[in-house]
Amino acid sequence: MGLEQEQSERAIRVLVADNTHIHTQLLADALKRDPSLEIAGTASHSRDLIGTVGNQEVDVAVISSNLDEEPLRGIEVLRELRALRRELRAIILLDSSKREVVLEAFRAGARGLFSRFESLETLCKCVHQVHDGQIWASGQQIAFAIETLASTPSIRAVGANGLSLLSKRELDVVGCLADGLTNREIAERLNLSQHTIKNYLFRVFDKLGVSSRLELMTLTLTNSFGQLPNGTNGSEMGGTQQTTLTWCKKAAEEGLPSAQVALAEMYRRGNGVAADPVSAYMWYLVSEKINAELKDEISAAKRQMGTTLTTDQIHEAQTQAMDRLKKVKRPASVAVGIGAAIGAKS
């Protein structure tokens, strides 16, 4: 039997994530009636969803647009999943076909948009079509995407200089995110609703060409700010890369979660510093304990990296992380500094 024939005869592994455990189980049970579909896992919380994708082989993910009792959280989580596995094919279950919801689902990487008003039999067809590499959406939903594409300038940010594409309010949100604030804390600081903060973040992702909060922090913190925290100018420290590394080390050691994430990425990729997988894994461990808003994403990145390390390397990183966590704290002066540095871009 050839490989292509074997793949075509193998059951399609489907991950199901709805907004409650009961809804998730009902949906999974309905899909199992199709003998060509196999349930690879179920989740009713974003944390479990990210963990399942990181540990299981999944062909198609069926995800509710609303998770964790938050509107559009499922779309936000899809961005995080796609950052980890670009090849993942996903279907978003929509409670609403409003233009902005449809566009955010497409931007997050959805290959299928499925209305809850459609039949479960139709959902099985949707899963097959998306698995085969096709798009499942209504004519109106596709029209939304085409109209938006036609009216959008062909500008794409490729680095931190792309921050100039952001509005003053979008920069404020990015600055708060870099300070390690949750959506709730950002909303309180800027006197806006959490829903509005999410909309700002979606627009920032789109303008900067990133797909997750982790990517956004890496882009923001591993590129030059121009004016750095505490009034330090980049030219005074001998170059962009050294400036970024020096500041990230200082801020990470003083407890700024976003700097810890950026430092982990720098060591993992060898960006501006010699690649050091043990140090990268150690900073992932530290930031995972401190950064509640990025915890799921950091955990997934840590697990992925852990597969490339030996047992001794993981043990060494864990020991270093335990020592580091005893010393780490989060002073307000550092947090305010980075937000101000980003805000200075405007």
Side-chain angles (χ1 to χ4, degrees):
M1 181 184 293
L3 178 60
E4 291 184 2
Q5 183 179 356
E6 181 181 350
Q7 290 177 334
S8 65
E9 293 182 359
R10 176 176 57 80
I12 300 171
R13 289 178 286 266
V14 183
L15 171 63
V16 180
D18 210 337
N19 51 16
T20 69
H21 178 72
I22 292 176
H23 288 162
T24 301
Q25 198 58 54
L26 288 172
L27 197 57
D29 289 342
L31 289 172
K32 281 193 290 188
R33 296 173 190 167
D34 185 331
S36 63
L37 302 181
E38 174 187 330
I39 302 302
T42 60
S44 55
H45 191 282
S46 60
R47 176 181 57 251
D48 301 324
L49 174 58
I50 293 172
T52 301
V53 170
N55 296 318
Q56 300 290 333
E57 189 173 354
V58 177
D59 296 317
V60 178
V62 179
I63 305 171
S64 171
S65 59
N66 302 325
L67 286 178
D68 306 344
E69 299 182 354
E70 294 183 33
L72 305 186
R73 172 59 176 157
I75 295 176
E76 186 177 339
V77 171
L78 176 56
R79 291 179 185 273
E80 299 172 13
L81 296 176
R82 293 268 298 163
L84 295 173
R85 289 186 54 188
R86 298 298 295 181
E87 75 279 7
L88 180 67
R89 292 172 178 171
I91 297 165
I92 292 291
L93 300 175
L94 296 178
D95 295 302
S96 165
S97 287
K98 291 182 179 178
R99 182 189 187 95
E100 59 270 22
V101 176
V102 168
L103 293 177
E104 293 306 337
F106 276 133
R107 285 170 177 150
R111 301 297 295 272
L113 303 183
F114 191 85
S115 170
R116 290 188 183 274
F117 298 106
E118 298 181 73
S119 70
L120 289 172
E121 181 182 36
T122 306
L123 177 58
C124 292
K125 294 178 181 178
C126 175
V127 170
H128 281 280
Q129 185 162 320
V130 168
H131 178 257
D132 290 340
Q134 301 180 57
I135 300 297
W136 181 285
S138 70
Q140 183 64 67
Q141 291 165 343
I142 292 175
F144 286 157
I146 293 174
E147 290 166 5
T148 301
L149 183 62
S151 61
T152 302
S154 57
I155 298 173
R156 204 57 160 180
V158 294
N161 290 335
L163 292 176
S164 62
L165 296 176
L166 304 184
S167 69
K168 174 62 169 65
R169 184 57 90 183
E170 288 166 347
L171 284 167
D172 290 340
V173 172
V174 173
C176 290
L177 185 63
D179 288 348
L181 302 187
T182 65
N183 281 4
R184 183 189 299 277
E185 292 168 334
I186 296 173
E188 291 175 354
R189 177 183 286 189
L190 301 182
N191 197 27
L192 297 170
S193 70
Q194 291 187 61
H195 181 69
T196 299
I197 297 302
K198 285 188 176 182
N199 286 338
Y200 273 123
L201 284 172
F202 281 143
R203 287 200 288 271
V204 169
F205 290 163
D206 192 49
K207 287 184 178 181
L208 298 186
V210 298
S211 59
S212 68
R213 300 167 81 98
L214 187 59
E215 273 191 71
L216 177 59
M217 287 300 90
T218 302
L219 171 70
T220 303
L221 289 173
T222 57
N223 289 276
S224 173
F225 293 143
Q227 184 68 29
L228 295 172
N230 304 321
T232 305
N233 189 283
S235 61
E236 298 172 1
M237 298 180 67
T240 297
Q241 288 188 332
Q242 187 59 40
T243 294
T244 304
L245 176 62
T246 300
W247 186 85
C248 275
K249 280 184 175 180
K250 180 177 184 298
E253 289 167 356
E254 293 186 2
L256 184 62
S258 50
Q260 294 164 354
V261 172
L263 198 56
E265 288 290 296
M266 292 175 76
Y267 278 121
R268 182 174 72 85
R269 299 180 183 183
N271 181 10
V273 65
D276 184 344
V278 173
S279 292
Y281 195 80
M282 182 271 289
W283 280 116
Y284 276 137
L285 287 168
V286 172
S287 59
E288 181 185 32
K289 296 293 184 183
I290 294 175
N291 197 326
E293 191 70 8
L294 289 177
K295 181 179 175 66
D296 292 339
E297 220 174 319
I298 293 169
S299 297
K302 182 200 70 178
R303 281 195 300 272
Q304 188 176 44
M305 185 173 189
T307 62
T308 68
L309 300 179
T310 66
T311 302
D312 288 343
Q313 286 177 314
I314 291 176
H315 179 70
E316 181 182 351
Q318 290 172 336
T319 301
Q320 291 181 18
M322 290 175 64
D323 291 338
R324 183 75 62 181
L325 283 166
K326 294 176 183 177
K327 306 172 184 176
V328 158
K329 58 183 178 179
R330 182 182 166 190
S333 59
V334 176
V336 171
I338 188 170
I342 294 174
K345 283 289 187 178
S346 60

